[in-house]
Amino acid sequence: MSQSLTALRPVAERDHPVLSELRQDVVLQRMLLGAAEPITEPVADWLTRRNAGGWIRTVTDAADTCLGYVQLFDRHDNNRTAWFGICLALQARGRGHGRAATQQTLEIARTEMNLRKVSLKVRADNPASRLYSRLGFRAVGTQRAEYDDGATLHDVVIMEYLFDGHSTA
């Protein structure tokens, strides 16, 4: 999958049905450390909250079909940091869209937002953690029994991506 086939754009009203479906998918939300029950909040209300303190974009394919979303949230301007999140529809996974959308988001974070670090939390059993590692995110800690999905307590790994010129030494 070529990165040119995956694009990020502002969320449009036509994306709301897909975003609503993703938000109501309990299995997916539990993998994303989200709600353990279906989310009934209207997408427009959720987007208003997300855009107030962060940045959210629709992930699309070459036909401009909504595949999911990426977001940067809890941005700290003084520290030049933010948290990253991504959610893709089942049919979009494993086709390179997640990689491309993450790389594009990191580039926007670096060049347009002037961030020096992007962090994320991922359930320890989420296969996406391997992708994050391949893209340059580094695991910096594990929160034991952090996420309760209603049936099981899951470990959560904190990962960070430091942009060029910034060292942890």
Side-chain angles (χ1 to χ4, degrees):
M1 175 65 57
S2 167
Q3 277 191 356
S4 64
L5 299 180
T6 304
L8 306 180
R9 63 164 166 72
V11 178
E13 192 169 336
R14 70 181 183 271
D15 304 326
H16 290 201
V18 172
L19 299 179
S20 179
E21 184 177 317
L22 292 172
R23 296 187 76 236
Q24 291 176 23
D25 182 334
V26 174
V27 173
L28 176 60
Q29 287 302 313
R30 288 177 179 171
M31 186 57 72
L32 297 174
L33 310 173
E37 300 298 326
I39 299 170
T40 58
E41 174 188 34
V43 169
D45 294 350
W46 171 68
L47 289 169
T48 297
R49 281 190 301 103
R50 278 325 216 183
N51 281 317
W55 175 93
I56 187 167
R57 293 294 182 267
T58 297
V59 178
T60 66
D61 61 13
D64 196 37
T65 302
C66 176
L67 304 175
Y69 63 90
V70 290
Q71 59 182 330
L72 292 166
F73 57 96
D74 290 343
R75 184 171 153 184
H76 193 286
D77 290 331
N78 184 56
N79 288 334
R80 297 177 32 231
T81 61
W83 288 88
F84 170 78
I86 184 168
C87 180
L88 293 179
L90 181 61
Q91 68 272 16
R93 293 180 222 151
R95 300 177 181 275
H97 295 294
R99 170 184 287 277
T102 301
Q103 289 173 319
Q104 290 174 40
T105 301
L106 290 172
E107 183 62 15
I108 289 166
R110 184 182 68 78
T111 61
E112 295 178 23
M113 297 178 176
N114 194 32
L115 297 181
R116 65 175 183 81
K117 180 171 80 170
V118 172
S119 302
L120 63 83
K121 291 183 178 186
V122 61
R123 231 172 72 177
D125 62 338
N126 187 333
S129 63
R130 292 189 302 273
L131 170 64
Y132 301 138
S133 292
R134 286 193 303 268
L135 291 175
F137 281 87
R138 183 173 64 94
V140 295
T142 300
Q143 297 174 300
R144 301 288 177 204
E146 174 68 12
Y147 176 70
D148 184 353
D149 70 5
T152 306
L153 293 173
H154 298 272
D155 291 350
V156 173
V157 177
I158 299 172
M159 303 181 84
E160 62 184 21
Y161 186 98
L162 288 168
F163 294 104
D164 293 337
H166 298 287
S167 171
T168 58

